């Protein structure tokens, strides 16, 4: 029996309050899920609690309606968190302040891939929901565990949850920041500096220059075309596509050397209106010849 909570358990201690939005598979906003959740370590055992309910939800409303709060056990050895039911079964692995979890919820009858990035007292959260291989929807939003900021957080999620991820479409812009790097077996290997410069070509197309310096060195030029919530990376150095679910843009990208990236780019301070935000939380999983090699995460600020 563990007598002390794991590093990840200590990092996420407390009650987290948020109002993540629900989107359908095409990125159409459907409603909110008011949630209070906590992972509690007590006498060597960890239990996860979730309480709340759905507002709206469209065609998915009935699927996510339940008559009781969630509760499930967690076997936590630091490197692995195994969800032992009864309300969720699966596992997750932390990479510093980020956890990637895959599990199944019998009540919701969906498989979930949850990415949770903890930045101080803020969590950048998303759960992608699957029926077999088919993605049926996404929950995402920001949480706080600061009780003094809870009401403000819920108000912000209510106002901004449906805002679609965009970057500046007329002005040249640069986003930059340091990313933590973790190997596939969860070893901290340092940091890399990411710098993304954006040169709009028209209202829907832009030339992106993405560079990394530090533990990982790379330099890529990419023409990105946006069509509503969808985006297309059309070379010459990176090919792939993306789909935005509100402020969270999910991408799958390929390079000619066999490496690929799956990622989430979350514009944390996007607001309704004809503009984009200035603070982008990013997570990328880098696969080297189809094997997970490095997990990268951090925050990019507009310079």
């Amino acid at each position: 029996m563990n007598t002390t909570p794991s590093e990840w358990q200590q990092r996420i201690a407390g009650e987290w309050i948020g109002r993540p939005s629900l989107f359908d598979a095409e990125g159409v906003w459907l409603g909110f899920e008011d949630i209070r959740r906590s992972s509690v370590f007590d006498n060597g055992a960890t239990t996860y609690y979730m309480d709340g309910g759905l507002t709206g939800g469209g065609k998915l409303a009935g699927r996510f309606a339940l008559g009781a709060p969630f509760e499930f056990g967690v076997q936590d050895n630091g490197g692995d968190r195994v969800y032992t039911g009864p309300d969720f079964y699966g596992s997750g692995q932390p990479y510093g302040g980020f956890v990637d979890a895959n599990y199944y919820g019998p009540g919701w009858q969906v498989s979930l891939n949850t990415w949770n990035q903890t930045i101080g007292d803020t969590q950048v959260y998303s759960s992608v929901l699957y029926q077999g291989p088919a993605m049926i929807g996404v929950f995402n939003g920001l949480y706080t565990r600061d009780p003094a900021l809870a009401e403000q957080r819920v108000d912000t999620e209510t106002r901004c949850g449906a805002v679609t991820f965009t970057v500046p479409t007329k002005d040249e812009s640069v986003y930059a920041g340091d990313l933590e790097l973790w190997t596939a077996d969860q070893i901290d290997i340092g940091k890399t500096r990411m710098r993304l410069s954006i040169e709009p070509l028209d209202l829907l197309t832009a030339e992106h220059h993405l560079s990394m310096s530090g533990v990982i060195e790379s330099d890529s030029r990419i023409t990105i075309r946006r069509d509503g919530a969808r985006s297309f990376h059309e070379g010459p150095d990176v090919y792939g596509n993306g789909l935005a679910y509100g402020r969270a843009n999910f991408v799958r990208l390929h390079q000619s050397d066999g490496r690929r990236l799956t990622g989430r780019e979350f514009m944390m301070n996007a607001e309704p209106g004809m503009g984009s935000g200035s603070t982008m939380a990013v997570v990328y999983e880098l696969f080297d010849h189809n094997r997970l090699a490095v997990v990268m995460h951090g925050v990019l600020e507009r310079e």
Side-chain angles (χ1 to χ4, degrees):
M1 181 179 74
N2 295 329
T3 56
T4 58
S6 70
E7 183 177 342
W8 173 256
Q9 176 61 35
Q10 295 178 52
R11 187 188 290 268
I12 64 169
E15 183 180 56
W16 295 84
I17 299 167
R19 200 179 201 212
S21 288
L22 173 63
F23 301 86
D24 74 6
E26 299 298 321
V28 177
W29 182 88
L30 297 176
F32 298 109
E33 185 190 33
D34 291 289
I35 284 291
R36 308 175 76 93
R37 55 183 172 78
S38 56
S39 181
V40 178
F41 179 85
D42 183 33
N43 196 29
T46 302
T47 306
Y48 209 107
Y49 301 95
M50 294 172 55
D51 194 5
L54 197 65
T55 298
K59 60 187 177 183
L60 296 178
R63 189 163 190 166
F64 296 107
L66 289 175
F70 285 129
E71 178 179 339
F72 58 99
V74 180
Q75 292 178 354
D76 184 5
N77 68 8
D80 287 303
R81 288 171 65 87
V82 180
Y83 310 147
T84 59
D87 292 339
F88 290 103
Y89 295 93
S91 64
Q93 286 71 47
Y95 302 88
F98 165 70
V99 68
D100 182 351
N102 282 276
Y103 51 105
Y104 181 74
W108 284 350
Q109 301 179 91
V110 292
S111 295
L112 300 93
N113 179 203
T114 294
W115 282 14
N116 209 346
Q117 183 180 5
T118 301
I119 305 167
D121 287 330
T122 299
Q123 283 189 341
V124 185
Y125 156 86
S126 66
S127 283
V128 182
L129 314 167
Y130 293 94
Q131 173 77 42
M135 196 268 274
I136 65 166
V138 173
F139 283 114
N140 69 44
L142 302 180
Y143 281 77
T144 183
R145 64 177 162 189
D146 184 342
L149 299 178
E151 183 176 349
Q152 176 186 338
R153 182 75 267 151
V154 170
D155 289 346
T156 301
E157 293 304 295
T158 303
R159 185 176 71 256
C160 304
V163 174
T164 298
F165 174 92
T166 59
V167 292
T169 53
K170 285 192 174 179
D171 298 329
E172 294 185 11
S173 59
V174 173
Y175 291 82
D178 294 326
L179 307 188
E180 296 180 23
L181 302 182
W182 296 77
T183 65
D185 50 358
Q186 299 162 284
I187 296 173
D188 182 357
I189 55 173
K191 293 184 178 181
T192 195
R193 182 75 175 175
M194 176 173 280
R195 187 175 190 275
L196 171 64
S197 63
I198 302 167
E199 179 184 352
L201 303 177
D202 57 42
L203 291 176
L204 298 176
T205 309
E207 185 82 13
H208 287 216
H209 182 193
L210 180 65
S211 63
M212 288 187 279
S213 57
V215 176
I216 291 180
E217 300 275 347
S218 73
D219 191 87
S220 302
R221 291 184 302 111
I222 320 157
T223 300
I224 297 181
R225 176 172 54 87
R226 186 170 70 88
D227 178 7
R230 302 184 300 167
S231 59
F232 302 89
H233 293 61
E234 299 179 328
D237 297 325
V238 176
Y239 293 86
N241 57 29
L243 184 56
Y245 296 86
R247 295 159 291 172
N249 185 45
F250 294 81
V251 295
R252 289 178 177 268
L253 309 174
H254 298 263
Q255 299 177 225
S256 58
D257 60 4
R259 293 194 298 177
R260 65 181 172 91
L261 282 168
T262 60
R264 185 190 69 193
E265 301 158 340
F266 197 113
M267 197 65 81
M268 298 176 67
N269 58 352
E271 291 277 348
M274 301 181 75
S276 56
S278 59
T279 301
M280 191 189 321
V282 298
V283 176
Y284 300 104
E285 293 185 343
L286 171 63
F287 293 80
D288 192 0
H289 296 184
N290 212 33
R291 298 180 182 86
L292 178 63
V294 175
V295 176
M296 305 182 280
H297 57 84
V299 177
L300 308 182
E301 297 283 356
R302 186 175 179 181
E303 296 181 339

